[in-house]
């Protein structure tokens, strides 16, 4: 009331002194309002760090991907739906407005109350996959902070504030896991135990930036295909947070934070292929997934972000699929952590390398596994491929899929040449953390129908282009 009286007095003063040049008036809060924070306790059970290591339990009683009646070997390519070519797109309005300042069209815009739940098998299996990803991120971020000492983090240039940021990102995953569990219901996948291909902080950071790459891209690949637009909205608002996480881990890895104009979207089976090898075991009644597990592709000369000359690497990964960097062969002179300008790869807002990690025309040596290997939670999934004889490397980056022929193919090994292609002029297509697949054909696909390539994939990997 006192503040209100002061305001009234000031207005009266202005009214009775119309010729005054200025009326000094300071509004200052008389008190601070306190209230209890409104919170919603997470309904999901969270363990900050689960047990770790490869699976050593009994053989699984159920194997393979979830399945029902399969109606065709693949989804055939069809011409575009005619109505999509009919809208004039001339800047004028062609439909009645359902309300003022509201154009005709759109999905979920008719005033119906939103229902935040999955409404199809496609929705359920896609969001369940995303939840598996959120669970591993929650565990991985916590695990690294518990596994490595403050001194080990400091030695790689990551201080207490940087470690708190990783802790905060782990906390974000609690919210993401809760939101996706709510969309799925009571049978939503729960937290599992994991096995990470890292031995030190540098490898931990590199694995994080690769894992968050396929986590982010895996959602982009299916987000606009979901039947439940409400679920898509929630997922959009979580995956944009993960995009920031991926960029932060690139910065911690000493990489240029965002060397591309567009981020990649990949099929669900690609994301599951790259994620499943690092899940050791899950509870006996865990909800299973429908997605395929492809054989692993090993990039024998995978560029190593920890090297001064990152492209000059051979067998410097901790395994296939993620192809995470290994520091085993680094010497003081080849380690870029304390390098000069143009060579330095310490954690920073940005770095610009004199020697690029990769480049067009680079010879890339590859090896891939044969199908039929047990993998994933409890070794209960089996790698498979319906592709024929391998012929091409498919470079999947930004808006592009670029094929290069495999050469000197023998005993599941070959080499190919990194392509010189651009998304648009000034934007080299092959850059950043991308996806590399072996295929039996050079099928034309685009970002919205990339899943059409799935029957033709022999093996899959992450490639560290930049």
């Amino acid at each position: 009331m006192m503040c209100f009286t002061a305001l009234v007095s000031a207005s009266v003063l202005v009214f009775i002194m119309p010729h005054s040049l200025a009326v000094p008036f300071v509004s200052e809060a008389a008190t601070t309002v306190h209230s209890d924070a409104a919170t919603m306790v997470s309904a999901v059970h969270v363990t900050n760090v689960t047990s770790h290591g490869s699976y050593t339990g009994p053989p699984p009683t159920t194997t393979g991907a979830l399945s029902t009646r399969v109606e065709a070997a693949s989804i055939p390519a069809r011409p575009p739906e005619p109505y999509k070519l009919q809208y004039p797109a001339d800047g004028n309005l062609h439909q009645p407005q359902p309300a003022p300042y509201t154009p005709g069209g759109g999905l979920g815009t008719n005033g119906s109350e939103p229902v935040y739940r999955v409404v199809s098998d496609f929705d359920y299996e896609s969001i369940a996959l995303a939840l598996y990803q959120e669970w591993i991120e929650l565990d991985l971020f916590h695990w690294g902070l518990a596994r490595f000492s403050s001194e080990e983090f400091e030695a790689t240039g990551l201080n207490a504030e940087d470690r708190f940021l990783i802790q905060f990102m782990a906390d974000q995953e609690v919210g993401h896991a809760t939101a996706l569990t709510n969309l799925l219901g009571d049978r939503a996948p729960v937290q599992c135990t994991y096995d990470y291909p890292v031995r030190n902080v540098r490898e931990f950071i590199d694995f994080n930036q690769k894992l968050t790459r396929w986590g982010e891209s895996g959602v982009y690949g299916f987000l606009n295909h979901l039947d439940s637009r409400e679920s898509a909205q929630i997922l959009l608002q979580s995956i944009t947070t993960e995009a920031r996480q991926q960029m932060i881990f690139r910065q911690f890895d000493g990489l240029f934070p965002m060397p591309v104009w567009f981020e990649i979207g990949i099929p669900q089976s690609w994301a599951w292929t790259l994620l499943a090898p690092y899940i050791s075991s899950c509870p006996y009644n865990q909800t299973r997934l429908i997605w395929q597990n492809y054989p692993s592709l090993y990039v024998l000369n995978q560029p190593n972000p920890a090297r001064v000359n990152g492209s000059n690497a051979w067998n410097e990964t901790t395994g296939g699929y993620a192809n995470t960097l290994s520091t085993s062969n680094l010497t003081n002179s080849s380690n870029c952590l304390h390098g000069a300008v143009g060579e330095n790869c310490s954690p920073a807002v940005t770095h610009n390398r004199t020697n690029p990690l990769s480049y067009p025309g680079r010879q890339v040596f590859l090896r891939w596994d044969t199908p039929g290997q047990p993998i994933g939670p409890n070794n209960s999934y089996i790698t498979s491929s319906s592709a024929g004889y391998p012929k091409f490397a498919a470079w999947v980056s930004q808006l592009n899929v670029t094929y290069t022929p495999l050469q000197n193919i023998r005993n599941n090994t070959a080499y190919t040449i990194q392509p010189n292609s651009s998304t648009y002029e000034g934007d080299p297509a092959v850059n950043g953390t991308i996806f590399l697949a072996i295929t039996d054909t050079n099928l034309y696909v685009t970002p919205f129908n990339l899943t059409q390539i799935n029957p033709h994939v022999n093996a899959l990997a992450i490639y560290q282009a930049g």
Side-chain angles (χ1 to χ4, degrees), residues 29-315:
T31 185
T32 300
V33 178
H34 295 280
S35 63
D36 294 332
T39 61
M40 180 179 292
V41 178
S42 172
V44 300
H45 177 70
V46 174
T47 301
N48 282 349
V49 180
T50 68
S51 61
H52 292 82
S54 58
Y55 180 67
T56 57
T61 56
T62 303
T63 59
L66 190 67
S67 183
T68 182
R69 186 182 75 251
V70 179
E71 296 184 338
S74 63
I75 297 175
R78 295 183 174 91
E81 297 166 288
Y83 82 92
K84 293 182 179 179
L85 303 174
Q86 294 170 358
Y87 183 73
D90 56 7
N92 296 314
L93 296 176
H94 299 276
Q95 299 163 285
Q97 291 181 232
Y101 312 106
T102 305
L107 298 176
T109 60
N110 64 358
S112 299
E113 180 181 352
V115 177
Y116 294 97
R117 68 184 302 272
V118 293
V119 298
S120 66
D121 286 350
F122 186 92
D123 287 357
Y124 192 101
E125 294 298 318
S126 300
I127 294 177
L129 168 63
L131 181 53
Y132 268 96
Q133 178 76 25
E134 304 295 1
W135 282 128
I136 196 173
E137 290 169 354
L138 186 154
D139 180 83
L140 174 61
F141 301 164
H142 280 303
W143 175 84
L145 293 171
R147 169 65 177 81
F148 303 111
S149 67
S150 299
E151 291 75 19
E152 289 174 289
F153 275 99
E154 296 282 349
T156 59
L158 295 168
N159 60 28
E161 292 175 317
D162 300 320
R163 297 193 296 276
F164 179 78
L165 180 53
I166 297 174
Q167 172 66 51
F168 185 78
M169 289 191 283
D171 295 340
Q172 289 175 324
E173 301 306 332
V174 176
H176 298 172
T178 301
L180 301 194
T181 297
N182 290 340
L183 296 176
L184 292 169
D186 293 341
R187 289 304 307 273
V190 298
Q191 194 172 10
C192 299
T193 63
Y194 306 96
D195 187 23
Y196 304 129
V198 303
R199 295 158 297 190
N200 55 52
V201 171
R202 193 63 199 265
E203 293 173 359
F204 166 68
I205 294 298
D206 190 66
F207 181 60
N208 279 330
Q209 72 91 0
K210 289 178 165 69
L211 179 133
T212 51
R213 168 75 283 137
W214 74 65
E216 179 189 349
S217 293
V219 170
Y220 293 157
F222 71 74
L223 188 64
N224 288 310
H225 295 285
L226 290 174
D227 292 299
S228 171
R229 306 314 301 160
E230 299 94 328
S231 298
Q233 183 65 42
I234 298 298
L235 196 53
L236 173 67
Q237 291 179 240
S238 68
I239 203 60
T240 47
T241 302
E242 185 153 326
R244 290 159 171 79
Q245 294 176 353
Q246 204 276 333
M247 191 178 82
I248 287 167
F249 282 120
R250 284 185 60 88
Q251 292 171 309
F252 284 174
D253 212 8
L255 296 168
F256 193 82
M258 45 178 182
V260 294
W261 292 5
F262 302 90
E263 298 298 348
I264 320 164
I266 59 170
Q268 296 97 322
S269 288
W270 292 33
W272 179 235
T273 291
L274 295 166
L275 169 61
Y278 308 108
I279 305 175
S280 177
S281 64
C282 294
Y284 76 95
N285 61 343
Q286 176 81 322
T287 297
R288 299 181 64 78
L289 296 180
I290 194 174
W291 310 114
Q292 186 172 6
N293 296 88
Y294 293 105
S296 178
L297 174 61
Y298 302 80
V299 183
L300 301 182
N301 60 336
Q302 168 84 313
N304 188 339
R307 274 192 171 275
V308 170
N309 186 357
S311 66
N312 186 26
W314 184 262
N315 276 340

